[in-house]
Amino acid sequence: MQTKLTAPAVLDREFLEMRAKVLQLAASFDRLDRAEGAVEGDSRLTQLAQAIQLLQSERPDKAEEVQMIFSRAFSPNWRDELGVDQHV
Amino acid sequence: MYYFDPHIHMVSRTTDDYETLAKMGCVGMSEPAFWAGFDRGSVESFRDYFRQLTDFEMKRAAQYGIQHYTWLCINAKEAENVELSREIIAMIPEFLDLPNVLGIGEIGLNKNTRNESVIFLEHMELAITHQQQILIHTPHLEDKYQGTRMILDMLCGDARLDRSRVLVDHVEEHTVRHVLDAGFWAGMTLYPVSKCTPARAADMIEMYGPDRLLVNSAGDWGPSKPTAVPDFVLEMRRRGHAESLIRKIVYENPLTFFRQSQNFQFTPPDVLAESPVEG
Ligand SMILES: [Zn+2]
């Protein structure tokens, strides 16, 4: 199924909202810079940087990929690692 | 437009909310058992909660013409207490034949721990031996992907399970495909802040189609919006989608899924209205 709206219609509808979200992010980074103390090396900053970089890509699944940046990995061997048998 | 909210926690809402939902077209709802905001101390506490879900809420909803259904379990957060969980699982069959009980739920994972997984499997066993449908909670934020994959692994590891009778809730962009590809139903939970928005839910419908997908409000005691399903309807309309498509997602899909429960005796309000009034 396709979106019913044309690309110009989507941009018309969402431009101000997207602009506002970028501004909010910019202001959050400024606020971090002005604040006392240091957060360098905090892994959450790395996740944010990766996510922002991904927004510039051409890929069609950016929302899914941003989700994965902020997700813990799944191990197919999780049962052995946790000691869980399938049968109760 | 009539709609059905498949996942809403009315015990934490006021009677005014029932009235508002009825005015917005809500004609039916299903309420899974969940965490009360604090850990309960005994099996009797859960017995009273199940009485509230199977009796009191059904009557409260009926005053506004809303048909109320429910699901029973001990939620993932309290499942960390294995001993209490087992007492509750042993008590649940007392309630399974009551007229508004659809199955076992919302079971799931919260922090993806060993105890949560063990109790998940024991709930699954209960559902399978009693031919019950299952409604599943998936974890939030950074735990969602890992927890959803663990849940799918446990579900797919049991060949006795009928996948078309299982609903996996709170799916987002990175989990919806896994759930649908494995043959389960998937629910998108619309939340004002931390979860999925009506726009992102509409995006997922556009990407994956309307089959086996539901939208719900969760409407719990946290910051949430019980009228989130009508918000989704409006978003779909603003995008130019057909009324028939919207109706399939918010009304026909829930009915198709819930009709697989032996206790689901839903009468559409348009049919109710046409039947003669006695006296
Ligand atoms: Zn819930």
Side-chain angles (χ1 to χ4, degrees), chain A residues 1-5 13-14 47 60-61 63-65 67-68 70-76 78-79 82-88, chain B residues 112-114 117 121-122 125 142-143 145-146 149-150 153-154 157-158 172-174 177 200 206 209-210 235 238-241 245:
Chain A
M1 190 185 311
Q2 282 291 309
T3 168
K4 294 266 177 187
L5 299 176
R13 197 188 145 189
E14 304 206 6
Q47 289 176 323
D61 56 351
E64 179 174 350
E65 284 306 308
Q67 291 272 24
M68 291 308 294
F70 293 102
S71 294
R72 283 165 60 194
F74 167 69
S75 160
W78 70 272
R79 285 163 200 271
L82 290 185
V84 174
D85 291 329
Q86 174 76 27
H87 300 288
V88 299
Chain B
N112 308 338
T113 66
R114 179 182 190 281
S117 308
L121 287 166
E122 294 185 15
E125 187 63 34
E142 74 269 24
D143 297 311
Y145 177 76
Q146 182 187 63
R149 294 291 306 269
M150 287 167 65
D153 207 35
M154 288 188 277
D158 198 320
E172 292 185 8
E173 290 87 348
H174 53 325
R177 182 167 36 88
R200 283 168 49 210
E206 289 173 354
E235 173 66 16
R238 289 185 66 206
R239 293 185 185 199
H241 287 297
L245 170 69

Short mmCIF file of all heavy atoms in Angstrom, two decimals, chain A residues 1-5 13-14 47 60-61 63-65 67-68 70-76 78-79 82-88, chain B residues 112-114 117 121-122 125 142-143 145-146 149-150 153-154 157-158 172-174 177 200 206 209-210 235 238-241 245:
data_model
loop_
_atom_site.label_atom_id
_atom_site.label_comp_id
_atom_site.label_asym_id
_atom_site.label_seq_id
_atom_site.Cartn_x
_atom_site.Cartn_y
_atom_site.Cartn_z
N MET A 1 0.84 -1.20 0.00
CA MET A 1 0.00 0.00 0.00
C MET A 1 0.88 1.26 0.00
O MET A 1 1.91 1.29 0.65
CB MET A 1 -0.87 0.00 1.25
CG MET A 1 -1.93 1.06 1.22
SD MET A 1 -2.81 1.08 2.77
CE MET A 1 -3.18 -0.66 2.94
N GLN A 2 0.45 2.23 -0.76
CA GLN A 2 1.23 3.47 -0.87
C GLN A 2 0.59 4.58 -0.03
O GLN A 2 -0.60 4.52 0.27
CB GLN A 2 1.26 3.94 -2.33
CG GLN A 2 2.25 3.17 -3.18
CD GLN A 2 3.68 3.47 -2.81
OE1 GLN A 2 4.08 4.62 -2.71
NE2 GLN A 2 4.47 2.43 -2.56
N THR A 3 1.38 5.59 0.31
CA THR A 3 0.80 6.77 0.92
C THR A 3 -0.04 7.49 -0.13
O THR A 3 0.31 7.52 -1.31
CB THR A 3 1.88 7.68 1.52
OG1 THR A 3 1.28 8.92 1.85
CG2 THR A 3 3.02 7.93 0.57
N LYS A 4 -1.18 8.04 0.28
CA LYS A 4 -2.08 8.70 -0.66
C LYS A 4 -1.61 10.12 -0.98
O LYS A 4 -1.98 10.69 -1.99
CB LYS A 4 -3.49 8.80 -0.05
CG LYS A 4 -4.15 7.46 0.15
CD LYS A 4 -5.01 7.15 -1.05
CE LYS A 4 -5.62 5.76 -0.91
NZ LYS A 4 -6.32 5.37 -2.11
N LEU A 5 -0.84 10.70 -0.07
CA LEU A 5 -0.41 12.08 -0.27
C LEU A 5 0.80 12.12 -1.19
O LEU A 5 1.67 11.25 -1.12
CB LEU A 5 -0.06 12.72 1.08
CG LEU A 5 -1.19 12.80 2.12
CD1 LEU A 5 -0.65 13.37 3.43
CD2 LEU A 5 -2.33 13.66 1.60
N ARG A 13 2.56 19.76 4.56
CA ARG A 13 1.87 19.46 5.80
C ARG A 13 2.84 19.39 6.98
O ARG A 13 2.51 19.78 8.10
CB ARG A 13 1.16 18.11 5.63
CG ARG A 13 0.10 17.86 6.64
CD ARG A 13 -0.44 16.44 6.53
NE ARG A 13 -0.75 15.99 7.87
CZ ARG A 13 -1.07 14.76 8.21
NH1 ARG A 13 -1.12 13.83 7.30
NH2 ARG A 13 -1.33 14.45 9.44
N GLU A 14 4.05 18.88 6.75
CA GLU A 14 4.92 18.55 7.88
C GLU A 14 6.12 19.47 8.05
O GLU A 14 6.88 19.33 9.01
CB GLU A 14 5.39 17.09 7.74
CG GLU A 14 4.21 16.15 7.65
CD GLU A 14 4.50 14.74 8.12
OE1 GLU A 14 5.60 14.51 8.65
OE2 GLU A 14 3.62 13.89 7.95
N GLN A 47 24.93 7.32 20.51
CA GLN A 47 23.69 6.87 19.86
C GLN A 47 23.00 8.03 19.15
O GLN A 47 22.55 7.90 18.00
CB GLN A 47 22.72 6.30 20.90
CG GLN A 47 23.15 4.96 21.49
CD GLN A 47 22.19 4.49 22.59
OE1 GLN A 47 21.67 5.30 23.35
NE2 GLN A 47 21.96 3.20 22.66
N PRO A 60 15.18 3.73 2.85
CA PRO A 60 13.74 3.91 3.04
C PRO A 60 13.24 3.52 4.43
O PRO A 60 12.06 3.68 4.72
CB PRO A 60 13.14 2.97 1.99
CG PRO A 60 14.13 1.86 1.89
CD PRO A 60 15.49 2.47 2.14
N ASP A 61 14.14 2.99 5.28
CA ASP A 61 13.70 2.46 6.58
C ASP A 61 14.40 3.20 7.73
O ASP A 61 14.89 2.59 8.68
CB ASP A 61 14.00 0.97 6.67
CG ASP A 61 15.48 0.67 6.42
OD1 ASP A 61 16.23 1.59 6.01
OD2 ASP A 61 15.89 -0.48 6.64
N ALA A 63 13.27 5.14 10.12
CA ALA A 63 12.67 5.03 11.46
C ALA A 63 13.08 3.70 12.11
O ALA A 63 13.46 3.65 13.29
CB ALA A 63 11.15 5.14 11.37
N GLU A 64 13.02 2.62 11.33
CA GLU A 64 13.40 1.31 11.86
C GLU A 64 14.87 1.30 12.29
O GLU A 64 15.23 0.79 13.36
CB GLU A 64 13.14 0.22 10.80
CG GLU A 64 13.54 -1.16 11.29
CD GLU A 64 13.17 -2.28 10.31
OE1 GLU A 64 12.42 -2.02 9.34
OE2 GLU A 64 13.63 -3.41 10.54
N GLU A 65 15.72 1.90 11.46
CA GLU A 65 17.16 1.91 11.78
C GLU A 65 17.47 2.77 13.00
O GLU A 65 18.34 2.44 13.80
CB GLU A 65 17.96 2.37 10.55
CG GLU A 65 18.07 1.30 9.49
CD GLU A 65 18.63 -0.02 10.03
OE1 GLU A 65 19.70 -0.01 10.67
OE2 GLU A 65 17.98 -1.07 9.84
N GLN A 67 15.44 3.17 15.48
CA GLN A 67 15.03 2.30 16.60
C GLN A 67 16.14 1.32 16.96
O GLN A 67 16.43 1.10 18.14
CB GLN A 67 13.78 1.51 16.21
CG GLN A 67 12.52 2.33 16.05
CD GLN A 67 11.75 2.47 17.37
OE1 GLN A 67 12.33 2.36 18.45
NE2 GLN A 67 10.47 2.74 17.26
N MET A 68 16.79 0.74 15.94
CA MET A 68 17.82 -0.27 16.22
C MET A 68 19.05 0.35 16.90
O MET A 68 19.70 -0.30 17.71
CB MET A 68 18.22 -0.98 14.91
CG MET A 68 17.13 -1.87 14.34
SD MET A 68 16.45 -3.06 15.53
CE MET A 68 17.87 -4.11 15.80
N PHE A 70 18.98 2.54 19.12
CA PHE A 70 18.66 2.69 20.55
C PHE A 70 18.21 1.36 21.20
O PHE A 70 17.58 1.38 22.25
CB PHE A 70 17.57 3.76 20.73
CG PHE A 70 18.03 5.15 20.37
CD1 PHE A 70 17.69 5.73 19.15
CD2 PHE A 70 18.84 5.88 21.24
CE1 PHE A 70 18.13 7.01 18.82
CE2 PHE A 70 19.27 7.15 20.92
CZ PHE A 70 18.92 7.72 19.70
N SER A 71 18.51 0.23 20.55
CA SER A 71 18.03 -1.06 21.05
C SER A 71 19.17 -1.95 21.53
O SER A 71 20.25 -1.96 20.94
CB SER A 71 17.29 -1.82 19.94
OG SER A 71 16.11 -1.15 19.57
N ARG A 72 18.89 -2.72 22.58
CA ARG A 72 19.83 -3.76 22.99
C ARG A 72 19.78 -4.90 21.98
O ARG A 72 18.74 -5.19 21.42
CB ARG A 72 19.44 -4.30 24.38
CG ARG A 72 19.83 -3.36 25.51
CD ARG A 72 19.13 -3.70 26.81
NE ARG A 72 19.44 -5.05 27.28
CZ ARG A 72 18.76 -5.68 28.24
NH1 ARG A 72 17.72 -5.10 28.80
NH2 ARG A 72 19.11 -6.87 28.62
N ALA A 73 20.92 -5.55 21.78
CA ALA A 73 21.00 -6.61 20.77
C ALA A 73 20.27 -7.87 21.25
O ALA A 73 20.13 -8.10 22.45
CB ALA A 73 22.46 -6.94 20.49
N PHE A 74 19.82 -8.67 20.30
CA PHE A 74 19.20 -9.96 20.60
C PHE A 74 20.21 -11.06 20.34
O PHE A 74 20.85 -11.07 19.28
CB PHE A 74 17.97 -10.16 19.70
CG PHE A 74 17.43 -11.57 19.70
CD1 PHE A 74 16.82 -12.09 20.83
CD2 PHE A 74 17.54 -12.38 18.57
CE1 PHE A 74 16.32 -13.39 20.84
CE2 PHE A 74 17.05 -13.67 18.57
CZ PHE A 74 16.44 -14.18 19.71
N SER A 75 20.37 -11.96 21.29
CA SER A 75 21.26 -13.09 21.08
C SER A 75 20.43 -14.34 20.85
O SER A 75 19.61 -14.72 21.70
CB SER A 75 22.15 -13.29 22.32
OG SER A 75 22.65 -14.61 22.32
N PRO A 76 20.63 -15.02 19.70
CA PRO A 76 19.86 -16.25 19.45
C PRO A 76 20.12 -17.33 20.52
O PRO A 76 19.31 -18.23 20.69
CB PRO A 76 20.37 -16.73 18.07
CG PRO A 76 20.98 -15.51 17.46
CD PRO A 76 21.50 -14.68 18.57
N TRP A 78 20.01 -16.84 23.71
CA TRP A 78 19.59 -16.26 24.99
C TRP A 78 19.14 -17.30 26.00
O TRP A 78 19.36 -17.13 27.20
CB TRP A 78 18.47 -15.24 24.74
CG TRP A 78 17.17 -15.82 24.32
CD1 TRP A 78 16.76 -16.10 23.05
CD2 TRP A 78 16.09 -16.23 25.17
NE1 TRP A 78 15.49 -16.65 23.06
CE2 TRP A 78 15.06 -16.74 24.34
CE3 TRP A 78 15.88 -16.21 26.55
CZ2 TRP A 78 13.86 -17.23 24.85
CZ3 TRP A 78 14.68 -16.69 27.06
CH2 TRP A 78 13.69 -17.20 26.22
N ARG A 79 18.55 -18.42 25.52
CA ARG A 79 18.09 -19.44 26.48
C ARG A 79 19.25 -20.04 27.26
O ARG A 79 19.16 -20.21 28.49
CB ARG A 79 17.41 -20.60 25.75
CG ARG A 79 16.05 -20.31 25.23
CD ARG A 79 15.73 -21.39 24.20
NE ARG A 79 14.67 -20.94 23.35
CZ ARG A 79 13.40 -21.13 23.61
NH1 ARG A 79 13.03 -21.78 24.68
NH2 ARG A 79 12.48 -20.68 22.79
N LEU A 82 20.63 -17.43 29.72
CA LEU A 82 19.80 -17.20 30.92
C LEU A 82 19.46 -18.50 31.65
O LEU A 82 18.98 -18.47 32.78
CB LEU A 82 18.50 -16.50 30.54
CG LEU A 82 18.55 -15.04 30.09
CD1 LEU A 82 17.13 -14.51 29.87
CD2 LEU A 82 19.26 -14.17 31.10
N GLY A 83 19.67 -19.65 30.98
CA GLY A 83 19.30 -20.93 31.60
C GLY A 83 17.80 -21.15 31.59
O GLY A 83 17.21 -21.46 32.62
N VAL A 84 17.17 -20.97 30.43
CA VAL A 84 15.71 -21.16 30.32
C VAL A 84 15.43 -22.33 29.36
O VAL A 84 15.87 -22.31 28.22
CB VAL A 84 15.03 -19.88 29.77
CG1 VAL A 84 13.55 -20.13 29.52
CG2 VAL A 84 15.23 -18.73 30.73
N ASP A 85 14.69 -23.34 29.85
CA ASP A 85 14.26 -24.45 28.98
C ASP A 85 12.92 -24.09 28.36
O ASP A 85 12.11 -23.44 28.98
CB ASP A 85 14.05 -25.74 29.80
CG ASP A 85 15.38 -26.27 30.31
OD1 ASP A 85 16.38 -26.07 29.61
OD2 ASP A 85 15.39 -26.84 31.42
N GLN A 86 12.69 -24.57 27.14
CA GLN A 86 11.40 -24.28 26.50
C GLN A 86 10.27 -24.96 27.26
O GLN A 86 9.18 -24.42 27.41
CB GLN A 86 11.38 -24.77 25.04
CG GLN A 86 10.02 -24.63 24.35
CD GLN A 86 9.68 -23.20 23.92
OE1 GLN A 86 10.58 -22.40 23.67
NE2 GLN A 86 8.40 -22.85 23.87
N HIS A 87 10.52 -26.15 27.78
CA HIS A 87 9.41 -26.92 28.36
C HIS A 87 9.32 -26.68 29.85
O HIS A 87 10.31 -26.69 30.56
CB HIS A 87 9.58 -28.40 28.00
CG HIS A 87 9.58 -28.57 26.52
ND1 HIS A 87 8.44 -28.43 25.75
CD2 HIS A 87 10.60 -28.81 25.65
CE1 HIS A 87 8.77 -28.59 24.49
NE2 HIS A 87 10.05 -28.82 24.39
N VAL A 88 8.08 -26.46 30.30
CA VAL A 88 7.88 -26.12 31.71
C VAL A 88 7.57 -27.38 32.51
O VAL A 88 7.21 -28.39 31.95
CB VAL A 88 6.76 -25.07 31.88
CG1 VAL A 88 7.15 -23.81 31.16
CG2 VAL A 88 5.43 -25.58 31.34
N ASN B 112 13.38 -8.51 30.39
CA ASN B 112 13.93 -9.66 29.66
C ASN B 112 14.77 -10.57 30.56
O ASN B 112 15.86 -11.00 30.17
CB ASN B 112 14.77 -9.18 28.45
CG ASN B 112 14.00 -8.21 27.57
OD1 ASN B 112 12.78 -8.18 27.60
ND2 ASN B 112 14.72 -7.43 26.78
N THR B 113 14.28 -10.86 31.75
CA THR B 113 15.04 -11.68 32.70
C THR B 113 14.65 -13.15 32.61
O THR B 113 13.66 -13.52 31.97
CB THR B 113 14.76 -11.22 34.15
OG1 THR B 113 13.38 -11.51 34.46
CG2 THR B 113 15.03 -9.74 34.33
N ARG B 114 15.41 -13.97 33.33
CA ARG B 114 15.14 -15.40 33.40
C ARG B 114 13.76 -15.67 34.01
O ARG B 114 12.96 -16.43 33.45
CB ARG B 114 16.23 -16.10 34.23
CG ARG B 114 16.01 -17.56 34.35
CD ARG B 114 17.05 -18.28 35.19
NE ARG B 114 16.84 -19.71 35.03
CZ ARG B 114 15.90 -20.41 35.65
NH1 ARG B 114 15.08 -19.80 36.49
NH2 ARG B 114 15.76 -21.69 35.43
N SER B 117 10.90 -14.91 31.78
CA SER B 117 10.78 -15.89 30.69
C SER B 117 10.14 -17.18 31.19
O SER B 117 9.29 -17.77 30.51
CB SER B 117 12.16 -16.20 30.10
OG SER B 117 12.82 -15.02 29.75
N LEU B 121 6.53 -18.74 29.88
CA LEU B 121 6.31 -20.10 29.36
C LEU B 121 5.22 -20.82 30.14
O LEU B 121 4.43 -21.58 29.56
CB LEU B 121 7.63 -20.89 29.42
CG LEU B 121 8.68 -20.46 28.38
CD1 LEU B 121 10.05 -21.03 28.72
CD2 LEU B 121 8.26 -20.91 26.97
N GLU B 122 5.15 -20.57 31.44
CA GLU B 122 4.10 -21.24 32.24
C GLU B 122 2.71 -20.69 31.90
O GLU B 122 1.72 -21.43 31.88
CB GLU B 122 4.43 -21.13 33.74
CG GLU B 122 5.70 -21.92 34.06
CD GLU B 122 6.07 -22.00 35.53
OE1 GLU B 122 5.23 -21.71 36.40
OE2 GLU B 122 7.23 -22.38 35.80
N GLU B 125 1.71 -22.33 28.65
CA GLU B 125 1.23 -23.70 28.92
C GLU B 125 -0.24 -23.66 29.38
O GLU B 125 -1.08 -24.44 28.93
CB GLU B 125 2.12 -24.33 29.99
CG GLU B 125 1.86 -25.80 30.25
CD GLU B 125 2.14 -26.68 29.03
OE1 GLU B 125 3.08 -26.35 28.26
OE2 GLU B 125 1.42 -27.67 28.84
N GLU B 142 14.76 0.58 25.09
CA GLU B 142 15.90 -0.20 24.60
C GLU B 142 15.70 -1.71 24.74
O GLU B 142 16.42 -2.49 24.14
CB GLU B 142 17.20 0.25 25.29
CG GLU B 142 17.36 -0.18 26.74
CD GLU B 142 16.82 0.85 27.72
OE1 GLU B 142 15.94 1.65 27.33
OE2 GLU B 142 17.29 0.85 28.88
N ASP B 143 14.72 -2.12 25.56
CA ASP B 143 14.49 -3.55 25.77
C ASP B 143 13.51 -4.16 24.75
O ASP B 143 13.34 -5.38 24.73
CB ASP B 143 13.93 -3.79 27.18
CG ASP B 143 14.92 -3.38 28.25
OD1 ASP B 143 16.09 -3.79 28.16
OD2 ASP B 143 14.53 -2.64 29.18
N TYR B 145 13.27 -4.49 21.33
CA TYR B 145 13.69 -5.38 20.24
C TYR B 145 14.13 -6.73 20.79
O TYR B 145 13.64 -7.79 20.35
CB TYR B 145 14.83 -4.72 19.44
CG TYR B 145 15.37 -5.61 18.35
CD1 TYR B 145 14.65 -5.80 17.17
CD2 TYR B 145 16.58 -6.29 18.52
CE1 TYR B 145 15.13 -6.63 16.18
CE2 TYR B 145 17.05 -7.13 17.53
CZ TYR B 145 16.34 -7.30 16.36
OH TYR B 145 16.81 -8.14 15.39
N GLN B 146 15.01 -6.70 21.77
CA GLN B 146 15.51 -7.95 22.36
C GLN B 146 14.35 -8.77 22.95
O GLN B 146 14.24 -9.98 22.72
CB GLN B 146 16.52 -7.61 23.46
CG GLN B 146 17.14 -8.81 24.11
CD GLN B 146 18.00 -8.41 25.31
OE1 GLN B 146 17.51 -7.87 26.29
NE2 GLN B 146 19.29 -8.65 25.20
N ARG B 149 12.02 -10.32 20.32
CA ARG B 149 12.64 -11.50 19.68
C ARG B 149 12.63 -12.71 20.61
O ARG B 149 12.40 -13.84 20.18
CB ARG B 149 14.09 -11.17 19.24
CG ARG B 149 14.20 -10.11 18.14
CD ARG B 149 13.68 -10.58 16.78
NE ARG B 149 14.27 -11.81 16.31
CZ ARG B 149 15.37 -11.90 15.56
NH1 ARG B 149 15.99 -10.79 15.15
NH2 ARG B 149 15.84 -13.06 15.19
N MET B 150 12.86 -12.48 21.92
CA MET B 150 12.81 -13.59 22.88
C MET B 150 11.41 -14.17 22.95
O MET B 150 11.21 -15.39 22.97
CB MET B 150 13.25 -13.10 24.28
CG MET B 150 14.74 -12.84 24.40
SD MET B 150 15.18 -11.90 25.90
CE MET B 150 14.72 -13.04 27.21
N ASP B 153 10.63 -16.18 19.91
CA ASP B 153 11.38 -17.42 20.01
C ASP B 153 10.63 -18.44 20.88
O ASP B 153 10.51 -19.62 20.53
CB ASP B 153 12.75 -17.08 20.64
CG ASP B 153 13.82 -18.05 20.23
OD1 ASP B 153 13.77 -18.51 19.07
OD2 ASP B 153 14.70 -18.34 21.06
N MET B 154 10.08 -17.96 22.02
CA MET B 154 9.35 -18.87 22.91
C MET B 154 8.05 -19.33 22.26
O MET B 154 7.68 -20.51 22.33
CB MET B 154 9.07 -18.19 24.26
CG MET B 154 10.32 -18.03 25.11
SD MET B 154 9.98 -17.42 26.79
CE MET B 154 9.87 -15.65 26.53
N GLY B 157 8.68 -21.76 19.48
CA GLY B 157 9.28 -23.01 19.96
C GLY B 157 8.25 -24.04 20.38
O GLY B 157 8.61 -25.14 20.79
N ASP B 158 6.96 -23.69 20.34
CA ASP B 158 5.93 -24.63 20.75
C ASP B 158 4.96 -24.89 19.60
O ASP B 158 4.15 -24.03 19.26
CB ASP B 158 5.16 -24.09 21.97
CG ASP B 158 4.40 -25.20 22.68
OD1 ASP B 158 3.82 -26.06 21.98
OD2 ASP B 158 4.39 -25.21 23.92
N GLU B 172 6.54 -1.65 17.23
CA GLU B 172 6.98 -0.40 16.61
C GLU B 172 7.74 -0.75 15.33
O GLU B 172 7.76 -1.90 14.91
CB GLU B 172 7.83 0.41 17.61
CG GLU B 172 6.99 0.93 18.76
CD GLU B 172 7.75 1.84 19.73
OE1 GLU B 172 8.90 2.21 19.46
OE2 GLU B 172 7.16 2.17 20.79
N GLU B 173 8.39 0.26 14.74
CA GLU B 173 8.98 0.09 13.41
C GLU B 173 9.95 -1.09 13.34
O GLU B 173 10.08 -1.74 12.30
CB GLU B 173 9.72 1.36 12.99
CG GLU B 173 8.83 2.56 12.68
CD GLU B 173 8.49 3.40 13.91
OE1 GLU B 173 8.76 2.94 15.05
OE2 GLU B 173 7.97 4.52 13.73
N HIS B 174 10.67 -1.35 14.42
CA HIS B 174 11.72 -2.39 14.38
C HIS B 174 11.23 -3.76 14.82
O HIS B 174 12.00 -4.72 14.81
CB HIS B 174 12.92 -1.96 15.22
CG HIS B 174 12.59 -1.56 16.64
ND1 HIS B 174 11.42 -0.92 16.99
CD2 HIS B 174 13.29 -1.72 17.79
CE1 HIS B 174 11.43 -0.70 18.29
NE2 HIS B 174 12.54 -1.18 18.79
N ARG B 177 7.53 -6.11 11.71
CA ARG B 177 7.76 -7.07 10.62
C ARG B 177 8.01 -8.48 11.17
O ARG B 177 7.50 -9.47 10.66
CB ARG B 177 8.94 -6.59 9.78
CG ARG B 177 9.27 -7.44 8.58
CD ARG B 177 10.24 -6.70 7.65
NE ARG B 177 11.23 -5.89 8.38
CZ ARG B 177 12.40 -6.35 8.83
NH1 ARG B 177 12.73 -7.60 8.63
NH2 ARG B 177 13.24 -5.55 9.47
N ARG B 200 2.87 7.68 13.09
CA ARG B 200 3.77 6.54 12.84
C ARG B 200 2.98 5.24 12.68
O ARG B 200 3.38 4.36 11.91
CB ARG B 200 4.82 6.44 13.95
CG ARG B 200 5.92 7.50 13.79
CD ARG B 200 6.80 7.62 15.01
NE ARG B 200 7.27 6.34 15.49
CZ ARG B 200 7.55 6.06 16.77
NH1 ARG B 200 7.41 6.99 17.70
NH2 ARG B 200 7.97 4.87 17.12
N GLU B 206 0.66 1.90 6.03
CA GLU B 206 1.00 2.13 4.62
C GLU B 206 2.12 1.20 4.17
O GLU B 206 2.17 0.79 3.02
CB GLU B 206 1.39 3.60 4.42
CG GLU B 206 0.19 4.54 4.52
CD GLU B 206 0.56 6.02 4.48
OE1 GLU B 206 1.77 6.34 4.49
OE2 GLU B 206 -0.37 6.86 4.46
N GLY B 209 0.46 -2.86 5.17
CA GLY B 209 -0.92 -3.22 4.85
C GLY B 209 -1.73 -3.42 6.12
O GLY B 209 -1.18 -3.44 7.21
N PRO B 210 -3.06 -3.60 5.98
CA PRO B 210 -3.93 -3.62 7.16
C PRO B 210 -4.16 -5.00 7.76
O PRO B 210 -4.84 -5.11 8.78
CB PRO B 210 -5.25 -3.08 6.60
CG PRO B 210 -5.26 -3.56 5.19
CD PRO B 210 -3.82 -3.58 4.72
N GLU B 235 -6.10 10.91 11.59
CA GLU B 235 -4.85 10.96 10.83
C GLU B 235 -4.99 10.21 9.50
O GLU B 235 -4.57 10.69 8.45
CB GLU B 235 -3.70 10.37 11.66
CG GLU B 235 -2.38 10.21 10.93
CD GLU B 235 -1.72 11.51 10.51
OE1 GLU B 235 -2.11 12.58 11.03
OE2 GLU B 235 -0.82 11.47 9.63
N ARG B 238 -7.10 12.31 7.17
CA ARG B 238 -6.37 13.47 6.65
C ARG B 238 -5.40 13.06 5.56
O ARG B 238 -5.03 13.86 4.70
CB ARG B 238 -5.61 14.18 7.80
CG ARG B 238 -6.53 14.91 8.76
CD ARG B 238 -5.74 15.68 9.80
NE ARG B 238 -4.97 16.76 9.20
CZ ARG B 238 -3.86 17.28 9.72
NH1 ARG B 238 -3.38 16.79 10.86
NH2 ARG B 238 -3.23 18.26 9.12
N ARG B 239 -4.96 11.81 5.58
CA ARG B 239 -4.07 11.33 4.52
C ARG B 239 -4.84 10.85 3.29
O ARG B 239 -4.23 10.41 2.31
CB ARG B 239 -3.19 10.19 5.03
CG ARG B 239 -2.20 10.61 6.08
CD ARG B 239 -1.29 9.45 6.45
NE ARG B 239 -0.41 9.82 7.55
CZ ARG B 239 0.71 9.18 7.85
NH1 ARG B 239 1.10 8.15 7.11
NH2 ARG B 239 1.44 9.56 8.86
N GLY B 240 -6.15 10.85 3.36
CA GLY B 240 -6.95 10.47 2.20
C GLY B 240 -7.26 8.99 2.10
O GLY B 240 -7.66 8.51 1.04
N HIS B 241 -7.07 8.23 3.18
CA HIS B 241 -7.36 6.80 3.11
C HIS B 241 -8.87 6.54 3.15
O HIS B 241 -9.63 7.29 3.77
CB HIS B 241 -6.67 6.07 4.26
CG HIS B 241 -5.19 5.97 4.06
ND1 HIS B 241 -4.63 5.28 3.01
CD2 HIS B 241 -4.15 6.49 4.77
CE1 HIS B 241 -3.31 5.38 3.08
NE2 HIS B 241 -2.99 6.12 4.13
N LEU B 245 -11.01 1.10 4.61
CA LEU B 245 -9.71 0.66 5.15
C LEU B 245 -9.61 1.00 6.64
O LEU B 245 -9.19 0.17 7.46
CB LEU B 245 -8.57 1.35 4.38
CG LEU B 245 -7.18 1.16 4.99
CD1 LEU B 245 -6.72 -0.28 4.86
CD2 LEU B 245 -6.16 2.10 4.35
#
